Amino acid sequence: MSRILTLSSQVQACCPTNAEPAIARETASEISGMLKALADPNRLQILAIISSSEDQEVCVCDLTEPLNLTQPTVSHHLAKMVSAGILEKQKRGTWSWYRLNSSAWQELAGFFQFTKV
Amino acid sequence: MSRILTLSSQVQACCPTNAEPAIARETASEISGMLKALADPNRLQILAIISSSEDQEVCVCDLTEPLNLTQPTVSHHLAKMVSAGILEKQKRGTWSWYRLNSSAWQELAGFFQFTKV
DNA sequence: ACCTTCTATCGATAAACGTCTATTTATAAT
DNA sequence: ATTATAAATAGACGTTTATCGATAGAAGGT
């Protein structure tokens, strides 16, 4: 690392660097896509409501009141999380039911454990 | 839950709901603030580079080349992560050194374990 | 067939974001 | 003092985002 050699080099250049990405660009994009779909207080509350619900699933109308959001906004949040792979949607009758995609969640949890301090 | 009682009620209303937030609004905002600061491929790569670096810290100029971003852009990403509490900054001489804030990271990891499927 | 209820989609708007170039500030070396 | 280097800040620009009201579609009950 050149910064250690600063004193001995005429030009005190900073960074020859290893220049290695250290994580695949694809992986970074995939994970960041899921994180982006989570990075909102209302969405975190949606997850909390799901996991504290009796059957581990909710419909849209379960959420509008506790979140104090309109129905289209709630639908939008849910759709984003589905398309990021965090939630799964199942339509039964008139209702749409949303539950956690456990493998996606495990992937995220794994990322935070694996990328240790 | 009213959806189970649908048949017996005259108005088939959907959701009396518990209406409990199930997670503190503050907690949701704090966590989502950190997630927002992470939800970008370049920022994830910054973390990866930090944790694969010998001393677990990097300066700005370590990052511009592997990320193929300009110096102000890299500074911006780092500043956002610092202000979200994910990174810590220490200025030594001309360089600014950034390293992971391990307690913030543990808080995140804990969130993903605790909020189990 | 009609009405009601639940959800999705459309279009709009204001805010936030990622990125750049240009400039300024801080620190060190000559 | 001057010069050189590292990093931060300011300003600009195009894109994405969260939110809403209005509307459309889908499904069930009468």
Side-chain angles (χ1 to χ4, degrees), chain A residues 31-93:
Chain A
I31 300 276
S32 76
M34 292 196 281
L35 293 180
K36 200 166 295 192
L38 279 181
D40 177 277
N42 289 316
R43 301 207 186 141
L44 293 186
Q45 296 220 3
I46 289 174
L47 295 187
I49 292 172
I50 289 178
S51 69
S52 73
S53 75
E54 198 172 343
D55 298 327
Q56 307 280 51
E57 62 182 358
V58 292
C59 59
V60 173
C61 61
D62 282 326
L63 301 171
T64 53
E65 186 185 330
L67 297 180
N68 199 30
L69 293 176
T70 64
Q71 174 266 312
T73 300
V74 170
S75 280
H76 171 250
H77 285 308
L78 291 167
K80 276 301 180 73
M81 288 196 278
V82 167
S83 112
I86 291 169
L87 295 184
E88 288 166 349
K89 171 182 172 178
Q90 186 187 23
K91 188 150 191 174
R92 297 203 295 274

Side-chain angles (χ1 to χ4, degrees), chain A residues 15-31:
Chain A
C15 306
T17 73
N18 43 344
E20 289 309 311
I23 214 182
R25 192 75 192 177
E26 283 181 27
T27 308
S29 290
E30 185 199 351
I31 300 276

Side-chain angles (χ1 to χ4, degrees), chain B residues 87-115:
Chain B
L87 295 184
E88 288 167 347
K89 171 182 172 176
Q90 187 187 22
K91 187 149 192 175
R92 297 203 297 272
T94 314
W95 286 270
S96 289
W97 295 93
Y98 293 86
R99 55 170 58 244
L100 235 146
N101 177 340
S102 55
S103 63
W105 194 259
Q106 280 179 333
E107 187 177 355
L108 276 177
F111 170 77
F112 280 94
Q113 282 191 290
F114 150 73
T115 309

Side-chain angles (χ1 to χ4, degrees), chain B:
Chain B
M1 299 291 163
S2 75
R3 47 189 168 269
I4 297 174
L5 306 177
T6 301
L7 296 176
S8 62
S9 62
Q10 187 177 9
V11 184
Q12 61 165 319
C14 168
C15 305
T17 73
N18 43 345
E20 290 309 312
I23 215 183
R25 191 78 192 173
E26 283 181 27
T27 308
S29 290
E30 185 199 351
I31 300 275
S32 76
M34 292 196 282
L35 293 179
K36 198 166 295 190
L38 279 181
D40 177 277
N42 288 316
R43 299 203 186 143
L44 293 185
Q45 297 222 14
I46 288 174
L47 294 187
I49 292 173
I50 289 177
S51 69
S52 74
S53 75
E54 197 171 344
D55 299 327
Q56 307 279 48
E57 62 182 358
V58 292
C59 58
V60 174
C61 61
D62 281 326
L63 301 170
T64 53
E65 185 185 330
L67 297 180
N68 201 28
L69 293 174
T70 64
Q71 173 265 313
T73 300
V74 170
S75 281
H76 171 249
H77 285 308
L78 291 167
K80 277 300 180 72
M81 288 196 278
V82 167
S83 112
I86 291 170
L87 295 184
E88 288 167 347
K89 171 182 172 176
Q90 187 187 22
K91 187 149 192 175
R92 297 203 297 272
T94 314
W95 286 270
S96 289
W97 295 93
Y98 293 86
R99 55 170 58 244
L100 235 146
N101 177 340
S102 55
S103 63
W105 194 259
Q106 280 179 333
E107 187 177 355
L108 276 177
F111 170 77
F112 280 94
Q113 282 191 290
F114 150 73
T115 309
K116 58 165 209 35
V117 315

